[in-house]
Amino acid sequence: MLYKTNAKSLLVISAVVSWALLLANVLLSAESMREQGTAKIALPFVSNLLIIVFIVAVFLFQRMSAEALKGIDFIGYLWNLFSKAAVAAYLSVALFLGYRVMTNYADTESVLLLHLVYQINFGLLVIFLAKAFYIWRQLLLYHKNRFLQIAWDWFELLLGATLLLTLFNFHYTSFIFLPLLSLMGFYILFLCTNLKWVAYLTFNNKSRSLVLLGAILLSCYIFVRFFRGMSTSHDLVIDYTQVGFLLLAMMFVGFYTLAAFLVSLFSLPTSSVFEQKSEDLLNFQRLSQSIQQGQSEAQVYDMLFESTIKASDASAAWFELVRNGEPQVTQLLNVNSDQIKRIRHLLLAYNIHNIDYINNNLNRNPGFRDLMLPWKSLIILPIKSKKHLAGVLYLLKDIEQGFDRETVNVLRTFTSQTILTIENLRLVAESLQTERYKEELKIATQVQESLIPKNFPVDSWFEISTHAVAAKEVGGDFYDFLQLSESRIAIIIGDVSGKGISAAFHMAQMKGIFHGLMQQDMPPSEFMKQANSALSRCLERTSFITSALYIIDYSMKGFMFARAGHCHTLYYNAMMDDVFYFQTDGLGLGIIRDKSYANHIREMYYDYNPSDVMVIYTDGIVEARNAKNEEYGEDRLKYMLEQTYHLEAEDIKYAIINDLQDFTGPDNLYDDQTLLVIKFKPVEPNK
């Protein structure tokens, strides 16, 4: 970068010094020719060398200053060329006019002043050509290929080689060089056909480019006209029209500018069509990418509304979003609510509401004519799938035959893509919701699993076996225990109404109430009363919990329990060799939420015997149904205990569960199932 900066500084110094020396040489030569009797100073070789040094310095400086194309802001490049170079032509005109005014006013010709103006204009010409040459090179090589790059490199090399003609003072119009210069002319014409950048100009940009290209063309004409006019002057000691390099450079700059001007001019009528097609494709792409961009349905409808108005060039429009079967205007353009109401009323009368409808001659329809509307064409485009009507789009134009077949096809493509995008957005939302629900269920399942104890304490007084399975990811059954003292243990079983995350939440509440209240070692009936009071403040009005609490006292060889609407306890009395249900009263927690709840709870104490078996369960066991919709029932559960009471608690549980599964069949689980089998052992407690 430092090398480049130094090189550019060196080129600027070279250009300034060479131009100053050239001016001095020209003025000396002019002065020597003007004065009679003095020695003529004529150093054509020196002048040619200074001309070449100046041209090379300016062109190399512009070449190094030219940057690669950034984006497609071609108007910016044209403006850069005009503002920094082409305007030099107008400055040269002003300078020459100033010279003419001054000489006319003084009524005398000043040869030195004429040479000064001429040399200044020469410098402006070279700067203009260098700037234009390399800006056109950038645009010419837009979307280049290897052949075009090679062609340009050779053109630049050959053009530079023509400076040798000036250096050695060869006249380029000599018959020896004319064929070569003619070939260079054809070469320039070939290069001028590369105008791909013009195709990327919009309609408005092409209009602006025509102005700028016209101004640049005028600059070329000014310079050509000035130097061609001055070439006939006998007062000048140097004629720059003899420099072949400048002629070819001007040919390239002028022809390329003219070609760009003509291509822009003749492609102007079709620009709006291509722009519209490009805009349609871009809008279609935006609609297609709405899902990836995470846009909402409202944003998609906004995009549809704007896109269809642009595609059809509608003068008025509105969009109705259908919510709960009722239309709701969400977007409108150049139409008021009263006009919408009148049009919709007429369409309803014609029974053409919410269907595809095109009327390109509204004035020929008596109904529309009576409405006195300013529009003459109407199209109705429902946004609907096979099962769902999302909305209706209305477009109006103030001309007859406003919606041709191609426009209608484009509009229908937009509406089809819109409904597809909307449905996909909803599917994505549902999928995300499902995934979120699954994740919440997964967490709730983990919470539920953590709430249910995996192992009961092992003691010589009894053995216990448990079984719990949820019908869904998160069930409503729960059980727990709390060792109250060395010889007393509390066991609770319950069933929360409902399933899912709320059930897991209520289970957590019940577990907290159980451990909190039972720290006070209260009897089961008192626990139920206080639990009902606590749950009344945090349980939804539609929810309740059935539960049963057992406190087993090893030292007293008995247990007391209370039932809050839960299933009856199944019991086997070994001494009486009898299986029966404890028929006790009890109302579910949360059903009655005042002090009267205490009247619905009964507590019972029972002495157990060794080998007695107690089976506690939830309704998912006895209410399980088979394929014939027959219920498993309490009698079958009782029968199973009668057949298995002599087994270990674990074996009794498996026997009951296996029989239950044989009854219901595989994969026929409709409710949570929880089963606890407690068998009292005929041994003395550890002491």
Side-chain angles (χ1 to χ4, degrees), residues 46-64:
V46 175
S47 298
N48 292 340
L49 181 60
L50 293 173
I51 291 171
I52 293 171
V53 171
F54 176 70
I55 291 175
V56 171
V58 174
F59 269 71
L60 285 180
F61 176 83
Q62 293 297 338
R63 197 178 198 281
M64 296 181 70

Side-chain angles (χ1 to χ4, degrees), residues 408-420:
V408 172
N409 289 336
V410 172
L411 296 176
R412 283 175 176 160
T413 302
F414 277 126
T415 56
S416 299
Q417 183 59 37
T418 298
I419 193 61
L420 183 63

Side-chain angles (χ1 to χ4, degrees), residues 49 82 96 130 148 151 190 230 242 323 457 461 491 507 519 531 657:
L49 181 60
F82 171 77
F96 184 71
L148 185 59
F190 160 72
M230 294 299 292
Q242 304 299 320
R323 289 175 176 163
W461 281 100
I491 298 174
M507 284 174 59
Q519 294 294 330
I657 295 303

Side-chain angles (χ1 to χ4, degrees), residues 69 73-74 77-78 81 133-143 148 194-198 213 256 260:
L69 280 175
D73 182 23
F74 301 117
Y77 289 96
L78 296 180
L81 172 57
F133 187 83
Y134 286 107
I135 284 184
W136 286 154
R137 183 193 68 165
Q138 288 177 291
L139 301 184
L140 185 150
L141 295 179
Y142 183 68
H143 280 191
L148 185 59
N194 293 279
L195 295 157
K196 294 178 181 177
W197 58 277
V198 177
L213 289 168
Y256 195 82

Side-chain angles (χ1 to χ4, degrees), residues 63 141 148-158 187:
R63 197 178 198 281
L141 295 179
L148 185 59
Q149 180 66 61
I150 294 175
W152 174 264
D153 292 341
W154 273 103
F155 171 69
E156 202 171 355
L157 182 65
L158 292 173
Y187 205 157

Side-chain angles (χ1 to χ4, degrees), residues 564-577:
H566 200 71
C567 300
H568 295 297
T569 304
L570 180 62
Y571 197 81
Y572 168 71
N573 188 307
M575 181 175 290
M576 299 173 60
D577 191 22

Side-chain angles (χ1 to χ4, degrees), residues 16 90 116 166 180 206 220 235 293 308 335 340 382 398 441 480 491 537 596 679:
V16 172
Y90 305 96
L116 178 61
T166 303
L180 181 59
K206 280 184 179 173
C220 295
D235 295 329
Q293 295 170 354
T308 50
V335 59
I340 292 175
D398 49 9
L441 281 179
D480 202 358
I491 298 174
R537 290 189 287 271
S596 65
K679 187 167 187 178

